[in-house]
Amino acid sequence: TNPSLDRKDRITAMAAVVEAIASGAKVPEYGVDVRLVLCLHTMLPDDINEATLDLALTRRDLVRGIDVAGPEAPLGERLDHFVSLYKKAADHYLPATAHLGETSPAYVHPELFPYLRRIGHGVQIPLHLPHLLPEIRRRGICFELCPSTYLQTGTFADLAPVREVTKRLDTEGIDYCFCTDNPAFNGRYLQAEHEVALENELIDFSGLVRCQRNAFKHAF
């Protein structure tokens, strides 16, 4: 939105931004119907996050779910705020994912689990908080793994920990798939993530098929 506007007018302008992005995402010649996931943010004020959720609920024709992004520490510091938003989304049957436990087990918040259908990253859970895995399996939550991101951000020096993550998720019978995270930032698209996963033995070819099926199964 236009940074010269005051906050109230910027919030009002959010709807036009969503409409513009949705329009730009239409590529009818490919037969792909694109819908959006709107991100709450750990560094944005409460009223903007609330307005983002309200917009998602109002424009269900364009929006299929919500997420929360941004630095991980403030999420825990404002957990009540985000739990209330996720509960409201769940009460209106709006699917949700959340970035949790990417860099540290301290950034895993089970309070959000009842409202999630997917977890963004979450790699610290199978590595350091395996006691949470049965609940995640029971709730049918899918992990979204982004191997290239963990190398680029320095979360891991190599992909051996991610190999352990997929092994433990397989053992527990928990669904996961591979995602691009942010191609505009890291230049990595889905095919490249699948190649990285195969080359580093995070999965085998049968695992790749299973991940692709999981992606469809847990799509919003």
Side-chain angles (χ1 to χ4, degrees):
T1 56
N2 185 344
S4 68
L5 300 175
D6 62 30
R7 184 183 294 183
K8 181 179 178 181
D9 289 338
R10 294 189 74 176
I11 289 174
T12 301
M14 287 164 50
V17 173
V18 168
E19 290 173 1
I21 294 171
S23 177
K26 292 185 182 299
V27 191
E29 58 267 31
Y30 290 107
V32 177
D33 188 21
V34 177
R35 292 295 184 266
L36 309 177
V37 173
L38 299 190
C39 274
L40 313 175
H41 200 282
T42 61
M43 298 296 286
L44 285 176
D46 289 1
D47 59 336
I48 295 180
N49 282 326
E50 291 163 3
T52 300
L53 174 58
D54 289 342
L55 177 57
L57 294 173
T58 302
R59 296 307 307 267
R60 299 292 288 268
D61 57 321
L62 303 178
V63 179
R64 286 293 185 265
I66 60 166
D67 192 0
V68 60
E72 293 180 286
L75 177 59
E77 297 163 4
R78 303 172 62 196
L79 192 58
D80 288 346
H81 165 65
F82 288 104
V83 167
S84 69
L85 295 181
Y86 272 81
K87 184 179 185 304
K88 182 176 179 179
D91 288 344
H92 289 81
Y93 303 100
L94 182 69
T97 181
H99 282 57
L100 295 177
E102 179 181 356
T103 62
S104 167
Y107 302 138
V108 176
H109 305 291
E111 295 90 341
L112 289 172
F113 289 178
Y115 314 111
L116 300 181
R117 286 188 23 194
R118 305 199 303 247
I119 290 176
H121 308 299
V123 290
Q124 303 297 331
I125 298 174
L127 292 176
H128 299 290
L129 302 170
H131 64 281
L132 296 177
L133 293 177
E135 179 183 359
I136 291 172
R137 182 182 63 247
R138 179 172 58 83
R139 294 187 181 280
I141 299 172
C142 180
F143 281 72
E144 308 162 342
L145 304 179
C146 309
S148 295
T149 293
Y150 310 138
L151 299 179
Q152 292 171 336
T153 60
T155 297
F156 300 126
D158 56 52
L159 291 179
V162 186
R163 192 178 308 120
E164 186 64 24
V165 167
T166 58
K167 177 182 177 182
R168 295 186 183 187
L169 294 179
D170 285 335
T171 299
E172 290 289 334
I174 294 173
D175 290 348
Y176 59 90
C177 59
F178 292 95
C179 301
T180 58
D181 205 6
N182 189 346
F185 171 74
N186 60 25
R188 303 291 295 184
Y189 291 86
L190 191 55
Q191 180 181 350
E193 293 297 341
H194 286 159
E195 290 173 352
V196 167
L198 290 168
E199 291 169 356
N200 289 273
E201 299 182 334
L202 309 183
I203 51 172
D204 56 19
F205 281 100
S206 63
L208 174 59
V209 173
R210 188 167 63 253
C211 286
Q212 291 171 330
R213 289 175 176 167
N214 289 339
F216 281 97
K217 175 182 175 182
H218 294 276
F220 294 165

